[in-house]
């Protein structure tokens, strides 16, 4: 299975985080939210123009920019 950017998933999709390609500050922020490699994430919805994206990680809802989601690589379930 090949990894794809989180930003390419359709709303309602679930995936497993495999890698975060970013500077340490952004990666640290995501780890604080529970988004670490091996964690399941569900894409809930996108804003009408595609930015931001709402997701659920370990029962918590949060939103990130599409540009940030492009740096999170996942395996779709």
């Amino acid at each position: 299975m090949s990894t794809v950017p989180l930003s390419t998933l359709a709303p309602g999709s679930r995936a497993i985080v495999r890698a975060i390609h970013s500077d340490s500050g952004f990666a640290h922020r995501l780890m604080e939210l529970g988004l670490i490699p091996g964690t399941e994430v569900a894409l809930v919805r996108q804003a009408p123009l595609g930015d931001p994206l709402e997701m659920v990680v370990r029962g918590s809802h949060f939103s990130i920019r599409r540009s940030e989601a492009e740096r999170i690589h996942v395996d779709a379930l």
Side-chain angles (χ1 to χ4, degrees):
M1 191 180 312
S2 64
T3 62
V4 296
L6 179 62
S7 60
T8 63
L9 296 181
S13 299
R14 295 179 312 129
I16 301 292
V17 176
R18 292 300 175 210
I20 299 171
H21 303 287
S22 182
D23 61 71
S24 61
F26 176 66
H28 184 71
R29 180 178 145 232
L30 293 177
M31 287 192 303
E32 289 175 342
L33 295 170
L35 194 70
I36 58 175
T39 302
E40 184 175 324
V41 59
L43 186 60
V44 177
R45 68 180 140 229
Q46 314 178 31
L49 296 176
D51 200 19
L53 308 173
E54 180 185 353
M55 58 180 61
V56 176
V57 177
R58 298 181 184 210
S60 297
H61 289 250
F62 64 93
S63 296
I64 62 172
R65 294 179 184 103
R66 176 172 290 284
S67 62
E68 295 169 335
E70 289 172 358
R71 295 182 269 170
I72 302 168
H73 289 252
V74 298
D75 288 334
L77 296 177

